[in-house]
Amino acid sequence: SGFLLFGMSLIYGATGTTNFENLAKVISFLDFTSILESELSFRVSLGSLFILVSLLFKLTAAPFHMWAPDVYEGSPTPISMIFASVPKLGLFYILIKIFYVLLYDLVLFWQSEIIICALFSVLFGTFSALRQSRIKRFLALSSITHIGFLLIAFATGSLEGISSLFFYMMVYILMSVNAWSIVLFLQYKNKKLRYITDLQNLSKTNPVLAFTFSMNLFSMAGVPPLAGFFAKMYVFFTGLEASLNFIVIIGIILSVVSAFYYLRFIK
């Protein structure tokens, strides 16, 4: 909250307005080619950086993700389910409103920050989930990985990127709500359900639920022909069109690695 308010105050101090339409007009006249030489451009750039950091913190994007696994683990499961899905849609809408509409002239400045956070999110989420045995912490770390893929789409700075972002977001919300609902139902039946090994024999006691959970996990891993595969494919194609080849290649490699820990659930 402090970062968000400080960023807003910097932009207001530089421009004298908080109206989006007026801000866009003022910012369009500023020169961002040499930020350090212009005091107004520097204030707007620094303010946008603070706002970006605060929103990435709320999105649980690495390296601002440290709070997420503990909060997801400590909260009641219905609250964790809401944390994992609904707010992210609103936050990405705010990010698009601010950085695609208001601060698009600064695209070269904020694009590099987004790419770094996307890379860290995919890397940290993937390799931390590999050694995770608690169900809720695992789902929290998995959500950090998915945020990384969403940030790849956001970093393209194109309309195709926004389209792929919202398609991925819709698929992700459905997958996330489904996974958390199954966990919530199983915890209602068995209060001691905490670890992945506690899912043992689910295929015998409730084969329909086991099959549904398995299909959901395959989709999260990006296995064709499920929706998760097409969502990732769309994001990777838009990344390639925006010449983000390096991060797309890393994303594809880490998608293969992440398939291992989703298969652990099914196993």
Side-chain angles (χ1 to χ4, degrees), residues 204-264:
K204 295 177 182 177
T205 57
N206 197 329
V208 175
L209 199 65
F211 177 78
T212 306
F213 201 14
S214 298
M215 288 298 103
N216 195 77
L217 291 168
F218 276 130
S219 184
M220 284 177 128
V223 176
L226 301 169
F229 165 75
F230 292 103
K232 283 186 180 179
M233 185 180 70
Y234 196 4
V235 166
F236 290 148
F237 274 129
T238 52
L240 291 172
E241 287 175 5
S243 300
L244 303 177
N245 301 337
F246 174 71
I247 194 167
V248 168
I249 290 168
I250 290 178
I252 292 168
I253 293 168
L254 291 176
S255 289
V256 177
V257 176
S258 68
F260 169 77
Y261 59 71
Y262 287 114
L263 287 170
R264 270 202 310 160

Side-chain angles (χ1 to χ4, degrees), residues 69-82:
D70 292 327
V71 170
Y72 280 53
E73 178 73 20
S75 301
T77 303
I79 305 299
S80 299
M81 182 169 69
I82 293 169

Side-chain angles (χ1 to χ4, degrees), residues 10-24:
L10 279 171
I11 292 176
Y12 173 70
T15 60
T17 181
T18 55
N19 180 275
F20 271 41
E21 189 176 343
N22 295 336
L23 274 170

Side-chain angles (χ1 to χ4, degrees), residues 18-267:
T18 55
N19 180 275
F20 271 41
E21 189 176 343
N22 295 336
L23 274 170
K25 290 176 183 177
V26 172
I27 288 168
S28 65
F29 287 106
L30 296 178
D31 180 22
F32 293 106
T33 53
S34 53
I35 294 172
L36 295 175
E37 293 180 13
S38 170
E39 187 181 347
L40 286 179
S41 299
F42 177 72
R43 284 186 189 180
V44 171
S45 302
L46 190 60
S48 67
L49 179 63
F50 279 125
I51 290 171
L52 181 62
V53 166
S54 67
L55 293 175
L56 289 172
F57 182 90
K58 290 174 184 291
L59 278 170
T60 68
F64 313 107
H65 62 280
M66 296 300 183
W67 62 274
D70 292 327
V71 170
Y72 280 53
E73 178 73 20
S75 301
T77 303
I79 305 299
S80 299
M81 182 169 69
I82 293 169
F83 281 160
S85 53
V86 180
K88 291 176 171 53
L89 182 61
L91 287 166
F92 269 109
Y93 175 77
I94 294 168
L95 275 169
I96 289 166
K97 184 85 171 175
I98 293 174
F99 291 95
Y100 272 70
V101 178
L102 188 62
L103 297 168
Y104 195 75
D105 293 331
L106 272 166
V107 63
L108 295 177
F109 175 72
W110 56 257
Q111 188 183 46
S112 58
E113 315 297 333
I114 294 288
I115 290 170
I116 291 167
C117 286
L119 184 61
F120 273 116
S121 298
V122 177
L123 278 168
F124 177 84
T126 301
F127 287 108
S128 296
L130 279 173
R131 52 189 177 82
Q132 192 53 246
S133 58
R134 289 175 176 265
I135 295 173
K136 288 172 75 173
R137 290 183 76 90
F138 171 85
L139 290 172
L141 293 165
S142 172
S143 74
I144 294 170
T145 306
H146 287 292
I147 288 296
F149 291 122
L150 287 163
L151 288 175
I152 293 172
F154 185 84
T156 59
S158 64
L159 289 173
E160 290 82 4
I162 294 177
S163 299
S164 64
L165 188 153
F166 278 110
F167 178 64
Y168 195 113
M169 177 63 72
M170 290 298 105
V171 172
Y172 166 72
I173 288 174
L174 288 171
M175 293 187 302
S176 182
V177 168
N178 188 41
W180 281 99
S181 299
I182 291 169
V183 172
L184 182 62
F185 173 77
L186 292 172
Q187 282 188 341
Y188 174 74
K189 293 290 184 182
N190 178 14
K191 300 290 185 185
K192 296 180 180 179
L193 183 75
R194 290 182 182 175
Y195 298 93
I196 294 174
T197 49
D198 294 336
L199 295 167
Q200 201 168 3
N201 297 323
L202 182 63
S203 60
K204 295 177 182 177
T205 57
N206 197 329
V208 175
L209 199 65
F211 177 78
T212 306
F213 201 14
S214 298
M215 288 298 103
N216 195 77
L217 291 168
F218 276 130
S219 184
M220 284 177 128
V223 176
L226 301 169
F229 165 75
F230 292 103
K232 283 186 180 179
M233 185 180 70
Y234 196 4
V235 166
F236 290 148
F237 274 129
T238 52
L240 291 172
E241 287 175 5
S243 300
L244 303 177
N245 301 337
F246 174 71
I247 194 167
V248 168
I249 290 168
I250 290 178
I252 292 168
I253 293 168
L254 291 176
S255 289
V256 177
V257 176
S258 68
F260 169 77
Y261 59 71
Y262 287 114
L263 287 170
R264 270 202 310 160
F265 263 91
I266 299 162
K267 178 179 177 293

